[in-house]
Amino acid sequence: MLKRFLALSVSLVLVVGILAACGGKNNETNNGTNAGNGEEGGSDKAVTINMFTASPEYTDAFNAYIAEYKKVKPNVTINLEIMQADYNTVLKSKIAAGSTPDVFQTTAGGDIDTFAEYSADLTNEPLAAAMTDAVKINMSSSDGKVLGLPVKGNLMMMIYNKKLLADAGITEVPKTTAQMDDAIAKLEAKGITPFANAYKEWWVWKHIFQNFVNAAAEDAGTTPKELVAKFIAGETTFKDHPVLYDNFFNFIDTTVAHGTNKPLERDSNAEVSDFATGKAAFMTGKGAWDEEAIKKISPDIEIGIVGYPVSDKAEQNQLITGADQALRINKDSKVAKETIEFFNWLYTSDYGKQWFSNVAKVIPPIKDAPLPELDMPKQMEEILKTEKSGDLTVNYSLDTFHQKFGELMQAYIGGSKKKDAAIDEIQKAWVQFGSAQ
């Protein structure tokens, strides 16, 4: 339960509570009914919905659907607050202070249960019926209730510069560890840096690691979800899985040794810039959401996508697809009813169906919506005609674990922790923070 994570300083809670009080009063003044009582509010009554999200890359897209909804419901005002750094800490402080936003963002999967007591049940809403089956699973609690709304469908993998690989004489995109070693040698022989990394960010680590967890689960004859559950229960260790103990750390060491300088100083934007300007051939830890940013810098760049070289088995090189970010509607919000109406409109209207692909330019998480006219989703569609996608394993652990995991990996590549020490702390963190239970 979330309460176990809300041990925050009193001063922070008080400050956030004071700031949020104005918003709370506005809601009491501006909205009609409590959604829980089933009463209809007046259609012309002024309503204010406060959204708190952690996706700054979609600021313009969010503002676009807010402006469009104003045409549909002129009486509804949607205030959008977006932050990325310290988002989780601030969200928990808002909840602890009793000022939970009307709409807030969390990761999907296990965190659906973490915030269940604050989330409206959307199971029987039109928006739930509109979701693809694979996405709906990621938005559902352990007891089968739909408690989240997908921000987008996702695609995670390595991204590569086709021209740089061609310049190095690489005719086959590397899928195995041996092929990657060969590609690195060819790139460096041409003076090309193989990897752009964003290791200053804690969240990029989980995007890489999940590929190795998937392979470890396959090698162990189990599912990724079952394997993660064993780690959370303390029933297995990295040493039981060579793909994790050896291959994962070898890959990270390789990306550091053959990557851009000062990896712990390179954040997400820096990595995009490094890749887009041709300073490196591969991007690690990221996904399809970066295509627009890359092409704003280099409109003519030719990009490709490939899974991670996790082993000597090419079939374990997989794209990762699914939905890992969820919006939640505060079940106790005085504007919960109006907020649900808004998202029902977004997920079912003609505007909403084209918003995902044409405005946000993301992989739609809903049925009957076209893919965006971008390289990565189109390549994904072709690749998945003959290959299966990997499990979105990040959803089986909480972000409290993933953040600690990222910090420990930063300490490892920074040299302040040896491999075995880092692994020991990762395993302990998995037991301590891995589950909502």
Side-chain angles (χ1 to χ4, degrees):
M1 304 299 291
L2 181 63
K3 288 185 176 69
R4 88 187 241 204
F5 303 118
L6 294 180
L8 299 165
S9 70
V10 174
S11 60
L12 176 59
V13 173
L14 286 175
V15 168
V16 175
I18 290 168
L19 292 174
C22 297
K25 275 192 172 178
N26 286 340
N27 275 352
E28 291 170 11
T29 302
N30 292 337
N31 66 73
T33 63
N34 187 316
N37 62 20
E39 296 177 8
E40 294 291 334
S43 61
D44 59 349
K45 183 172 290 187
V47 171
T48 298
I49 298 170
N50 292 308
M51 285 183 62
F52 182 51
T53 81
S55 298
E57 65 271 29
Y58 299 119
T59 301
D60 291 343
F62 288 165
N63 281 323
Y65 70 46
I66 288 170
E68 186 67 22
Y69 194 62
K70 194 71 174 174
K71 301 174 187 175
V72 177
K73 294 279 188 177
N75 61 306
V76 177
T77 297
I78 301 175
N79 292 331
L80 179 64
E81 180 184 0
I82 299 182
M83 66 181 298
Q84 191 167 56
D86 296 324
Y87 173 84
N88 288 333
T89 300
V90 175
L91 173 62
K92 290 166 188 173
S93 71
K94 285 176 180 281
I95 293 173
S99 55
T100 307
D102 304 312
V103 183
F104 58 95
Q105 183 173 334
T106 73
T107 49
D111 268 329
I112 294 295
D113 281 336
T114 306
F115 293 85
E117 64 188 290
Y118 307 99
S119 303
D121 184 354
L122 308 171
T123 308
N124 297 317
E125 295 295 336
L127 58 86
M131 296 179 200
T132 64
D133 291 341
V135 165
K136 188 183 293 186
I137 291 171
N138 298 145
M139 299 296 125
S140 299
S141 61
S142 56
D143 59 359
K145 295 178 181 177
V146 177
L147 301 181
L149 298 152
V151 175
K152 62 187 182 302
N154 224 335
L155 168 63
M156 302 176 194
M157 67 283 134
M158 286 200 302
I159 304 166
Y160 64 90
N161 183 318
K162 291 184 176 181
K163 182 179 185 302
L164 293 184
L165 265 63
D167 289 348
I170 299 169
T171 57
E172 185 178 355
V173 183
K175 291 190 172 184
T176 68
T177 50
Q179 289 172 342
M180 180 55 77
D181 288 342
D182 181 65
I184 290 169
K186 288 178 177 177
L187 288 165
E188 292 185 335
K190 290 291 186 179
I192 301 168
T193 299
F195 297 102
N197 306 306
Y199 289 159
K200 183 178 181 180
E201 310 281 9
W202 65 264
W203 48 266
V204 302
W205 298 94
K206 65 179 180 179
H207 295 164
I208 300 172
F209 186 57
Q210 67 180 340
N211 296 268
F212 293 83
V213 173
N214 285 345
E218 182 181 280
D219 290 349
T222 187
T223 67
K225 186 173 185 178
E226 290 167 343
L227 180 59
V228 169
K230 286 185 176 181
F231 273 108
I232 291 172
E235 296 173 356
T236 191
T237 69
F238 275 54
K239 288 186 177 180
D240 296 328
H241 308 281
V243 168
L244 302 183
Y245 186 79
D246 296 318
N247 297 21
F248 171 66
F249 281 87
N250 288 343
F251 178 75
I252 296 301
D253 291 343
T254 297
T255 63
V256 172
H258 303 279
T260 46
N261 293 332
K262 299 180 179 179
L264 291 176
E265 296 180 16
R266 309 307 288 165
D267 63 9
S268 178
N269 291 333
E271 181 186 27
V272 167
S273 177
D274 289 341
F275 178 79
T277 54
K279 292 180 181 177
F282 291 92
M283 277 181 68
T284 65
K286 306 295 283 305
W289 60 88
D290 283 313
E291 181 166 345
E292 284 239 282
I294 291 167
K295 289 189 172 178
K296 280 182 181 178
I297 298 172
S298 297
D300 298 326
I301 191 171
E302 294 184 51
I303 54 180
I305 60 174
V306 66
Y308 286 81
V310 297
S311 68
D312 59 0
K313 302 173 185 176
E315 66 271 17
Q316 289 186 333
N317 181 287
Q318 298 175 331
L319 308 180
I320 303 288
T321 60
D324 65 326
Q325 294 293 316
L327 295 177
R328 320 293 285 269
I329 297 173
N330 175 9
K331 71 178 180 61
D332 296 319
S333 165
K334 294 182 183 297
V335 291
K337 173 180 174 292
E338 292 85 354
T339 306
I340 292 171
E341 286 179 353
F342 163 59
F343 283 106
N344 276 331
W345 166 81
L346 180 65
Y347 283 72
T348 63
S349 67
D350 289 340
Y351 174 84
K353 288 180 180 179
Q354 65 84 31
W355 176 85
F356 288 102
S357 54
N358 296 336
V359 181
K361 296 186 178 179
V362 297
I363 298 167
I366 58 175
K367 304 167 188 172
D368 303 322
L371 285 172
E373 290 296 325
L374 294 171
D375 289 340
M376 294 193 216
K378 295 296 185 184
Q379 290 179 35
M380 174 201 73
E381 186 176 40
E382 283 303 308
I383 291 169
L384 295 184
K385 287 179 180 178
T386 57
E387 301 177 15
K388 65 178 184 178
S389 64
D391 207 337
L392 190 63
T393 308
V394 294
N395 280 340
Y396 303 138
S397 302
L398 306 186
D399 255 4
T400 44
F401 162 73
H402 289 308
Q403 183 164 353
K404 184 66 174 178
F405 172 75
E407 291 166 356
L408 290 168
M409 290 305 301
Q410 289 166 337
Y412 168 72
I413 68 166
S416 62
K417 287 192 186 299
K418 298 295 185 183
K419 173 181 169 180
D420 284 336
I423 287 173
D424 181 60
E425 291 193 43
I426 289 168
Q427 290 172 171
K428 289 177 180 176
W430 229 333
V431 173
Q432 183 179 2
F433 301 121
S435 170
Q437 304 306 318

